[in-house]
Amino acid sequence: MPQLTHNEDGSTTLSVNSKELKALRDLVIDRVPELKRVREIADNPDVRTTLRFVKSVIS
């Protein structure tokens, strides 16, 4: 699972094993099917472009 490392300069580094993250993602998506559809929509380039446009108008 995620591991925090406190660096000498006072900063903190978060290390995450990508295999563990992928397993957690799959578990969550299997349990909540709606999330899979949301992820598919969010991965669509047209949706991302539209969201960037909306964000620029609001900002």
Side-chain angles (χ1 to χ4, degrees):
M1 287 317 303
Q3 207 172 21
L4 286 177
T5 304
H6 300 285
N7 303 314
E8 293 178 8
D9 65 358
S11 64
T12 303
T13 303
L14 176 66
S15 302
V16 181
N17 180 321
S18 64
K19 185 176 178 181
E20 291 173 338
L21 278 179
K22 288 176 184 175
L24 180 59
R25 176 200 65 196
D26 293 343
L27 177 68
V28 169
I29 288 175
D30 287 345
R31 292 182 185 248
V32 186
E34 297 84 21
L35 284 179
K36 184 176 183 180
R37 180 70 181 133
V38 169
R39 195 185 83 194
E40 289 170 355
I41 292 170
D43 284 343
N44 182 319
D46 293 334
V47 171
R48 288 181 180 213
T49 300
T50 302
L51 290 175
R52 276 194 296 274
F53 172 74
V54 169
K55 182 180 175 184
S56 71
V57 170
I58 293 173
S59 299

